[in-house]
């Protein structure tokens, strides 16, 4: 059968409705179609078999980090906070160098002086913001306006500093902090954040102040999603560019669920505090101490609020982390996290109780346990042949090379 007859036969076969009659009239075409489908199925099976998922591994130990933490704490107190920049570098290096993927460790190269410079800027801005309210309304408006103008720039520089000082396999990450594209969005976010403060300073009508105070609360899921999208879509690893898929609805549902859980937890905690106020007050007075009922209620409510936060925070953190990482890709790589609200809540509760019972000395052990859980829940997915070949072929982008030369001179880190 020549090619013209074959094409005619294939066209006639495709024109008929699928079924036994078509296969009986054109047996050769039916056999060829079944062979094509079997080949496609085999190729799909082979492709799926090549996909691999490898978790990150955290090797840090609480006892090791305790020694770093206690020295950092002592030197920070002795130097009135100046050593905190060097303490952050030591802490970040420890956690990154104990995070592994595919047999290689991450590393951190931040300069303490750049971090100290950023913190001085942040402290000056915060002090000016706080003191301006005691001077005059005009001074307060000017201070808030300056914060709205400066905050986006500080955020971009801090993200650039953090990522360009983080490396894997000797190659540093990058962050595209070009202001013309990102500054307007961050400026709007800053305005929304300070909208209630500006309303209180400029508007005399209480109704307007209350209305504008609710704006950041209602828009906070959108604001949070916008920041995460900016962080994850502007990041890169050499020539591999990250991308982020819109998941704004997941953020809103997470915040709604967390708000409901927090309200119920607060209500339950206050109810328990009120019910226990009288017996607790009586027991305290019985041992010779004085505590009135109001103090007992306030103390119980504060404890209940802290407990409600501990209950709500893991739920929000776990859901946000799942939403963010499952919608992030880095070149041919994509991510998955197994973090769960229930296990994370149990871990946070245990760490909080042990930290409270040890008067804070368990904090470094808690930090290591929480980091290990979050890190080891994250999996990187790719085709089997990608891991050994991909990282050896990735090169540093020209933008990152130019940025690394100036990042320690012009970069700041305002994380407090």
């Amino acid at each position: 059968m020549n090619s013209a007859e074959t094409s005619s036969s294939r066209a006639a076969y495709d024109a008929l409705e699928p079924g036994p009659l078509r296969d009986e009239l054109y047996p050769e075409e039916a056999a060829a179609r079944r062979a094509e489908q079997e080949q496609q199925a085999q190729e799909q099976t082979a492709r799926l078999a090549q996909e691999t998922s490898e978790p990150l591994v955290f090797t840090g130990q609480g006892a090791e980090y305790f020694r770093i933490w206690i020295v950092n704490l002592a030197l920070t107190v002795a130097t009135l906070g100046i050593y905190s920049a060097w303490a952050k570098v030591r802490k970040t290096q420890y956690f990154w160098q104990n995070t592994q993927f595919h047999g290689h460790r991450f590393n951190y190269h931040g300069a303490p002086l750049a971090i100290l410079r950023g913190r001085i800027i942040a402290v000056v801005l915060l002090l000016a913001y706080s003191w301006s309210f005691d001077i005059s309304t005009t001074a307060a408006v000017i201070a808030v306006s300056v914060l709205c103008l400066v905050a986006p720039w500080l955020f971009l520089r801090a993200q650039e500093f953090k990522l360009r000082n983080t490396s894997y396999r000797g190659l540093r990450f990058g962050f595209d902090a070009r202001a013309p594209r990102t500054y307007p969005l961050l400026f709007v976010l800053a305005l929304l954040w300070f909208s209630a403060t500006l309303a209180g300073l400029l508007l005399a009508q209480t109704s307007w102040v209350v209305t504008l105070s609710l704006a950041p609360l209602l828009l906070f899921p959108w604001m949070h999603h916008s920041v995460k999208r900016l962080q994850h879509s502007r990041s890169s690893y050499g020539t591999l560019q990250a991308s982020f898929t819109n998941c704004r609805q997941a953020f809103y549902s997470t915040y709604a669920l967390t708000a409901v859980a927090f309200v119920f937890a607060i209500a339950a905690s206050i109810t328990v505090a009120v019910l226990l106020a009288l017996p607790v007050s009586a027991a305290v007075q019985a041992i010779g101490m004085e505590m009135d009922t109001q103090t007992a209620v306030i103390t119980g409510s504060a404890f209940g609020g802290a407990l409600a936060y501990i209950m709500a925070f893991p739920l929000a953190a776990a859901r946000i982390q799942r939403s963010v990482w499952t919608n992030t890709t880095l070149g041919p790589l994509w991510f998955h996290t197994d973090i769960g609200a229930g296990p994370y809540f149990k871990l946070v509760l245990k760490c909080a109780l042990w930290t409270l019972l040890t008067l804070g000395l368990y904090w470094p052990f808690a930090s290591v346990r929480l980091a290990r859980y979050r890190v080891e829940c994250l999996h990187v997915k790719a085709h089997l042949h990608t891991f050994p070949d991909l990282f050896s072929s990735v090169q540093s982008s020209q933008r990152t090379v130019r940025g690394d030369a100036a990042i320690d001179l012009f970069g700041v880190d305002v994380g407090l």
Side-chain angles (χ1 to χ4, degrees):
M1 184 180 295
N2 56 39
S3 58
E5 293 176 344
T6 301
S7 299
S8 177
S9 177
R10 174 60 63 88
Y13 177 83
D14 292 336
L16 295 176
E17 291 292 331
L21 178 60
R22 185 179 69 168
D23 295 342
E24 182 178 349
L25 293 175
Y26 299 94
E28 294 181 357
E29 295 298 335
R33 182 59 57 88
R34 285 194 297 269
E36 290 178 1
Q37 293 175 348
E38 290 177 0
Q39 183 178 359
Q40 292 175 357
Q42 291 175 358
E43 291 176 354
Q44 176 71 4
T45 302
R47 187 184 67 82
L48 293 176
Q50 289 181 337
E51 290 183 358
T52 184
S53 176
E54 184 167 338
L56 276 75
V57 178
F58 187 76
T59 59
Q61 299 295 326
E64 291 178 347
Y65 180 55
F66 179 85
R67 294 192 292 270
I68 297 175
W69 174 81
I70 198 68
V71 172
N72 285 345
L73 180 62
L75 292 177
T76 299
V77 173
T79 58
L80 301 179
I82 295 177
Y83 187 77
S84 64
W86 282 262
K88 178 176 181 178
V89 170
R90 293 186 65 199
K91 171 188 174 181
T92 308
Q93 286 178 342
Y94 178 80
F95 279 91
W96 273 129
Q97 290 173 3
N98 281 282
T99 302
Q100 299 184 55
F101 175 71
H102 202 61
H104 296 270
R105 297 175 182 269
F106 292 82
N107 203 356
Y108 182 72
H109 313 274
L113 288 178
I115 297 175
L116 182 62
R117 180 169 59 246
R119 292 188 172 185
I120 291 174
I121 294 174
V123 169
V124 169
L125 290 174
L126 289 176
L127 289 176
Y129 171 76
S130 301
W131 290 344
S132 64
F133 289 88
D134 297 328
I135 299 174
S136 66
T137 301
T138 303
V141 171
I142 293 174
V144 173
S145 301
V146 170
L147 277 178
C148 290
L149 290 171
V150 174
W153 181 82
L154 289 176
F155 174 82
L156 292 173
R157 301 305 296 178
Q159 291 298 311
E160 185 179 26
F161 181 88
K162 180 176 69 174
L163 283 175
R164 289 190 176 173
N165 280 295
T166 303
S167 66
Y168 174 72
R169 293 173 59 104
L171 183 63
R172 299 197 183 193
F173 289 82
F175 183 79
D176 183 5
R178 287 178 290 182
R181 293 186 178 182
T182 55
Y183 185 89
L185 171 63
L186 292 172
F187 179 72
V188 171
L189 295 179
L191 279 179
L192 288 172
W193 183 263
F194 288 105
S195 60
T197 303
L198 288 172
L201 292 171
L202 299 175
L203 301 177
Q205 297 182 5
T206 307
S207 59
W208 279 101
V209 175
V210 173
T211 301
L212 291 177
S213 298
L214 292 176
L217 183 63
L218 297 176
L219 293 175
F220 199 84
W222 173 78
M223 296 164 65
H224 192 181
H225 177 269
S226 299
V227 170
K228 287 298 180 183
R229 181 179 61 185
L230 176 63
Q231 290 175 319
H232 284 245
S233 63
R234 295 288 181 178
S235 302
S236 61
Y237 176 68
T239 52
L240 298 182
Q241 180 63 44
S243 63
F244 185 76
T245 305
N246 189 333
C247 57
R248 191 178 301 114
Q249 184 177 357
F251 273 67
Y252 270 97
S253 62
T254 295
Y255 272 88
L257 184 61
T258 304
V260 171
F262 187 77
V263 169
F264 274 103
I266 285 286
S269 301
I270 293 177
T271 301
V272 172
V274 171
L275 293 176
L276 295 178
L278 290 176
V280 169
S281 179
V284 170
Q285 292 177 1
I287 60 176
M289 299 177 62
E290 293 186 0
M291 176 183 286
D292 56 20
T293 304
Q294 183 179 3
T295 303
V297 171
I298 293 175
T299 304
S301 300
F303 179 79
L307 183 61
Y309 175 79
I310 292 175
M311 294 175 63
F313 165 74
L315 171 64
R319 289 176 62 92
I320 291 296
Q321 185 165 334
R322 285 202 304 267
S323 299
V324 168
W325 282 112
T326 54
N327 288 280
T328 300
T329 60
L330 180 63
L333 306 176
W334 64 99
F335 303 90
H336 173 75
T337 178
D338 296 326
I339 190 171
Y344 195 36
F345 163 71
K346 294 178 182 178
L347 182 59
V348 169
L349 183 60
K350 289 178 182 178
C351 291
L353 290 176
W354 276 109
T355 302
L356 182 64
L357 291 174
T358 58
L359 302 179
L361 292 177
Y362 189 75
W363 177 255
F365 297 88
S367 299
V368 168
R369 292 186 65 183
L370 292 172
R372 175 178 292 108
Y373 179 71
R374 291 195 302 266
V375 168
E376 295 190 348
C377 281
L378 186 62
H379 298 252
V380 181
K381 293 189 173 184
H383 294 291
L384 187 61
H385 66 276
T386 301
F387 286 140
D389 299 333
L390 175 64
F391 294 113
S392 59
S393 63
V394 175
Q395 298 179 353
S396 180
S397 65
Q398 291 300 318
R399 187 186 308 128
T400 304
V401 171
R402 291 192 300 268
D404 289 343
I407 192 65
D408 286 338
L409 180 61
F410 299 106
V412 296
D413 188 329
V414 295
L416 296 176

